[in-house]
Amino acid sequence: MKNEFLNEVEDAVSVSTVFNTDHLLNEILETKYDNPVDYIEAYDSYLRRVLNSYGPIYYSLKAITVYVDNPTMLYAGGIAMITPETKETDWYKAIQENPSSRPIFIRTGSDGMQDTYSVVRKMDNYVPYNEREKILKIDLDSSAIRRIFGNLNLQGDIYLLNDQGRVEYTTDHTVNWEEGHVFYDNIIHAKDAIEFQTDAFTVGFLDKWRVIGIVEESEVFEEVRKSRGLVIVLACINSIIPTAMIVWITRSLHVRLGLILRHMKKVKIQNFALIKQAETRDEIGQLTGEFNRMTEQIKNLINDVYVADIQKKSLELKRRQAQLHALQSQINPHFLFNALETIRMRSLMKKETETAKIIHHMAKIFRNSLVWSKDMTSVREEMEFIHCFLEIQKYRFGDRLTYHVQADDEALSCMIPKLTFLPFVENASIHGIEPLKSGGLIDIHIFKESEHIVFTLKDNGVGMDDQKLEQLQKYIESEPEMGDRIGIPNVIYRLKLYYGKEFDIRLDSIPEIGTRVLLRIPIAGQEGGRVQGE
């Protein structure tokens, strides 16, 4: 109601603004006419059209009248003279008391059956045309006002109050507001009446005006009772459906979280059973998936550590058994070493120096083989082994064996696994040179290359066929595996344990021409210092 009433008044104010700013209209109203014909011509040419053009557009506008004190005009057709009676009206006094030229909304009178409300303003927008007093009065249709305030859904009364709290309009037939000044605060209402009040108007022409509605409490409750069934149904729907959804969601969360908790307790007692349910995209589903992955990883880690621990203990047991066997096997070489020393001394007493020399080399090899407290040895010590072995072989073969051994000085102090080079020398002597009737040559060269020790051996023996060479090559490329073989396979097995894939061995052999061996291993350390990898 407030908004509709404001729209009707604003329409009248908008029309008044158009009149106030119409330059030609103000000029016509200020003109002094010498004879009535001139005024009639001006009226027919412009005033008639202006004064009658807004009625068809705004149905709420009842009449538009311009009051002017120009005696040369004819007062008819919307033009009226400011008479002493006009100056005695309430609206005229109100407009004179208005300090500005803004429009005012006021109840301007009654025609005996209904009241009239008007928008009144001074037409003083143009200073050159302010010699004569001009007042615009736009009357609103009272039926439109009644229609607006009569549109109440409940049985009750509406009050339109001005800025002073006086009733300007009401649908309450018990209040005689047309003939006197009736203030709202003086009206007595029923005890069970409910008051509804809008915010005050904030526009200038309706400043602090208010609309108040009075409705009996029984009327309100009656409307509520009419919609009680619908309210109950909606309340049930709004409570049952959300409650069902909450129960369903809560149960889903509770069941899945309980399942996770039970499996966590199983993990506590080392039962790594996985949660068997379809994975969902919500947080609980993601938690379930992560729990399964974590359980699987813990299970794999425990199995890996358990298996590794078993392997470690198995290797430790085998190592202790090997130590025991080594201690037992040292008994016989020890007595053999003492026997060889006795034979050597007897040979020296009989002046058999060559025999004594060979026995000395054999005793030296046996003595060194008895000491296995460390796995690494220097190249210098390995060279002593090779020299003793070749001297014994030369004593055996005589002039049929010729050998040449060269080791660079900077390589002598480097550390290598014990008995790394000797098996290759033995293999070249026994399998390469011995079958030759004319004898042969063994050439050995050991040197340091960057961070590696390089061992090369060449012989002009019988060589190896393709089958034997392919067999050794497969063993080099295969995974390390402990066996009962000795010689070159034993050396390759130990090198794989020490260096993994960081060593390099190459075997080249041509039947009846000879064999070439190249072995490159990383430097483990220096003699006299800390041995790396030991």
Side-chain angles (χ1 to χ4, degrees):
M1 291 180 181
K2 173 185 174 182
N3 292 334
E4 291 184 13
F5 175 69
L6 179 61
N7 290 335
E8 297 294 341
V9 177
E10 284 182 340
D11 289 342
V13 172
S14 299
V15 174
S16 70
T17 303
V18 174
F19 274 70
N20 190 35
T21 57
D22 191 332
H23 183 274
L24 182 57
L25 175 61
N26 281 270
E27 182 181 356
I28 293 174
L29 295 177
E30 288 284 339
T31 303
K32 181 180 179 181
Y33 299 96
D34 295 332
N35 53 73
V37 177
D38 297 335
Y39 168 74
I40 294 173
E41 182 179 354
Y43 179 84
D44 291 337
S45 63
Y46 189 76
L47 288 180
R48 185 194 301 275
R49 177 169 53 85
V50 171
L51 294 173
N52 297 326
S53 60
Y54 294 97
I57 300 175
Y58 301 103
Y59 297 104
S60 60
L61 302 185
K62 180 179 180 181
I64 300 176
T65 306
V66 179
Y67 290 84
V68 62
D69 62 353
N70 189 350
T72 62
M73 298 177 63
L74 299 178
Y75 301 107
I79 303 298
M81 181 179 181
I82 300 178
T83 63
E85 293 79 6
T86 303
K87 294 180 180 181
E88 294 297 325
T89 60
D90 293 337
W91 62 264
Y92 183 85
K93 294 178 180 179
I95 199 66
Q96 296 300 323
E97 294 174 357
N98 188 16
S100 63
S101 60
R102 292 185 303 175
I104 61 173
F105 179 77
I106 189 171
R107 182 157 57 96
T108 56
S110 175
D111 56 5
M113 296 186 64
Q114 57 187 16
D115 286 275
T116 303
Y117 296 88
S118 304
V119 172
V120 184
R121 74 180 304 168
K122 295 179 181 179
M123 297 179 61
D124 55 358
N125 186 63
Y126 297 100
V127 176
Y129 301 123
N130 287 340
E131 294 181 4
R132 303 180 185 277
E133 184 179 8
K134 301 181 293 296
I135 298 175
L136 176 65
K137 179 173 174 287
I138 302 177
D139 298 330
L140 275 67
D141 190 355
S142 299
S143 61
I145 304 298
R146 292 198 308 273
R147 176 185 57 80
I148 293 174
F149 291 113
N151 187 23
L152 186 64
N153 295 329
L154 299 177
Q155 293 297 324
D157 298 315
I158 298 297
Y159 300 87
L160 176 65
L161 309 182
N162 62 13
D163 56 345
Q164 299 175 0
R166 190 174 62 241
V167 178
E168 296 290 344
Y169 179 84
T170 181
T171 59
D172 187 357
H173 301 292
T174 62
V175 178
N176 189 14
W177 57 275
E178 296 93 341
E179 297 182 358
H181 299 294
V182 178
F183 288 89
Y184 176 77
D185 293 338
N186 297 330
I187 301 175
I188 299 176
H189 304 289
K191 294 182 179 181
D192 61 347
I194 301 176
E195 180 182 276
F196 300 91
Q197 183 175 169
T198 66
D199 295 333
F201 291 95
T202 57
V203 293
F205 47 86
L206 290 175
D207 189 23
K208 298 180 181 180
W209 284 49
R210 293 174 296 162
V211 177
I212 297 178
I214 298 295
V215 181
E216 292 184 4
E217 190 178 72
S218 58
E219 291 289 335
V220 177
F221 289 146
E222 180 64 26
E223 292 296 325
V224 172
R225 282 192 292 269
K226 290 180 181 178
S227 59
R228 179 172 54 187
L230 178 61
V231 171
I232 293 175
V233 172
L234 293 178
C236 293
I237 293 175
N238 291 334
S239 59
I240 294 174
I241 294 179
T243 301
M245 294 181 64
I246 292 173
V247 171
W248 176 72
I249 295 174
T250 304
R251 183 180 181 279
S252 175
L253 295 177
H254 176 73
V255 170
R256 291 187 291 168
L257 287 176
L259 185 62
I260 295 175
L261 181 60
R262 289 195 296 272
H263 278 76
M264 290 178 69
K265 292 180 178 179
K266 291 181 180 179
V267 172
K268 185 178 179 180
I269 59 175
Q270 298 184 359
N271 183 0
F272 302 100
L274 300 180
I275 302 176
K276 296 181 180 180
Q277 69 176 29
E279 291 190 5
T280 56
R281 296 183 179 180
D282 62 352
E283 289 77 4
I284 306 299
Q286 295 178 8
L287 179 62
T288 303
E290 293 299 326
F291 176 82
N292 286 338
R293 282 186 283 272
M294 180 191 70
T295 304
E296 189 70 24
Q297 290 178 357
I298 293 176
K299 181 179 178 181
N300 294 336
L301 287 174
I302 290 178
N303 291 337
D304 293 343
V305 172
Y306 179 74
V307 172
D309 185 61
I310 292 179
Q311 293 177 347
K312 182 179 179 180
K313 291 182 178 179
S314 178
L315 291 175
E316 181 68 17
L317 180 61
K318 291 182 179 179
R319 187 179 70 84
R320 293 184 180 276
Q321 291 177 350
Q323 289 179 348
L324 179 60
H325 293 161
L327 291 174
Q328 293 174 351
S329 64
Q330 284 181 356
I331 298 175
N332 292 334
H334 183 73
F335 285 106
L336 181 60
F337 171 71
N338 291 335
L340 287 174
E341 281 295 312
T342 302
I343 295 172
R344 187 176 72 85
M345 295 301 296
R346 294 288 296 177
S347 298
L348 288 175
M349 292 174 62
K350 293 181 179 182
K351 299 185 183 296
E352 296 177 354
T353 57
E354 186 177 6
T355 303
K357 180 181 178 182
I358 297 304
I359 293 175
H360 176 69
H361 287 312
M362 291 184 63
K364 199 172 182 181
I365 292 176
F366 274 113
R367 185 176 68 247
N368 290 332
S369 65
L370 291 177
V371 183
W372 287 96
S373 60
K374 58 181 182 178
D375 296 332
M376 306 295 289
T377 185
S378 65
V379 175
R380 182 181 286 103
E381 293 175 348
E382 187 79 2
M383 291 297 296
E384 292 179 1
F385 272 97
I386 294 174
H387 178 72
C388 292
F389 176 80
L390 288 177
E391 284 296 318
I392 293 173
Q393 295 300 316
K394 190 170 180 61
Y395 176 77
R396 175 184 176 187
F397 297 125
D399 294 336
R400 291 173 56 200
L401 175 62
T402 304
Y403 68 87
H404 177 259
V405 180
Q406 178 183 356
D408 295 350
D409 293 338
E410 60 181 1
L412 293 176
S413 61
C414 296
M415 306 300 291
I416 60 173
K418 200 169 187 178
L419 297 178
T420 299
F421 302 149
L422 183 60
F424 293 100
V425 178
E426 179 186 6
N427 194 72
S429 173
I430 303 301
H431 301 289
I433 304 300
E434 183 177 357
L436 295 178
K437 295 181 179 181
S438 58
L441 171 66
I442 296 177
D443 185 14
I444 299 172
H445 185 199
I446 302 173
F447 59 94
K448 182 179 179 182
E449 183 182 83
S450 183
E451 299 297 327
H452 292 79
I453 292 295
V454 180
F455 167 81
T456 61
L457 183 148
K458 298 179 182 178
D459 68 66
N460 57 355
V462 297
M464 292 182 289
D465 56 16
D466 294 340
Q467 183 178 359
K468 180 65 176 179
L469 191 63
E470 183 178 357
Q471 182 180 359
L472 289 175
Q473 191 65 34
K474 287 183 178 179
Y475 189 81
I476 293 172
E477 296 174 356
S478 65
E479 293 294 328
E481 182 179 356
M482 186 65 182
D484 56 356
R485 292 172 291 180
I486 59 175
I488 294 178
N490 184 278
V491 173
I492 296 173
Y493 173 76
R494 290 192 297 119
L495 290 176
K496 287 182 178 181
L497 291 180
Y498 277 107
Y499 304 110
K501 297 182 180 180
E502 295 183 2
F503 78 97
D504 183 28
I505 181 171
R506 299 180 185 178
L507 298 175
D508 297 318
S509 183
I510 300 176
E512 307 302 329
I513 293 181
T515 302
R516 180 178 182 271
V517 179
L518 186 146
L519 178 62
R520 180 183 285 106
I521 61 177
I523 298 176
Q526 297 291 329
E527 186 179 14
R530 181 180 181 273
V531 178
Q532 300 179 9
E534 187 176 354

